[in-house]
Amino acid sequence: PDEIKGEEIKAYVVLKPGKSATFDELQNWIKERIANYKYPRFIEIVEALPMSATGKILKKVLRAKDHG
């Protein structure tokens, strides 16, 4: 949540096996590719994204993780 914008952007990143990256490296990579107002201010590296039985990302689970 964001008091001014309503919501702030957060990215959940799953790295390829054997790869590593820092917050700054990811943020710089993103900033080079998308507009300033679109890039995520928060980045969290996770081992896997929660998925439904049909293979869709469970966004509600990710939101609950941030608020719980």
Side-chain angles (χ1 to χ4, degrees), residues 8 21 24 41:
E8 190 60 79
D24 290 335
R41 303 308 193 256

Side-chain angles (χ1 to χ4, degrees), residues 2-4 7-8 18-19 23 33-34 38 54 57 64:
D2 183 81
E3 291 180 16
I4 297 171
E7 281 191 326
E8 190 60 79
K19 300 294 182 180
F23 174 85
R33 288 161 176 78
I34 61 175
K38 290 184 179 182
T54 60
I57 297 172

Side-chain angles (χ1 to χ4, degrees), residues 18-45:
K19 300 294 182 180
S20 65
T22 65
F23 174 85
D24 290 335
E25 290 171 335
L26 290 170
Q27 195 172 42
N28 289 334
W29 186 87
I30 293 167
K31 282 182 179 181
E32 291 174 1
R33 288 161 176 78
I34 61 175
N36 186 41
Y37 69 94
K38 290 184 179 182
Y39 80 84
R41 303 308 193 256
F42 305 98
I43 300 172
E44 184 175 336
I45 298 172

Side-chain angles (χ1 to χ4, degrees), residues 13-21 45-48:
V13 178
V14 179
L15 299 175
K16 292 181 179 182
K19 300 294 182 180
S20 65
I45 298 172
V46 294
E47 291 196 23

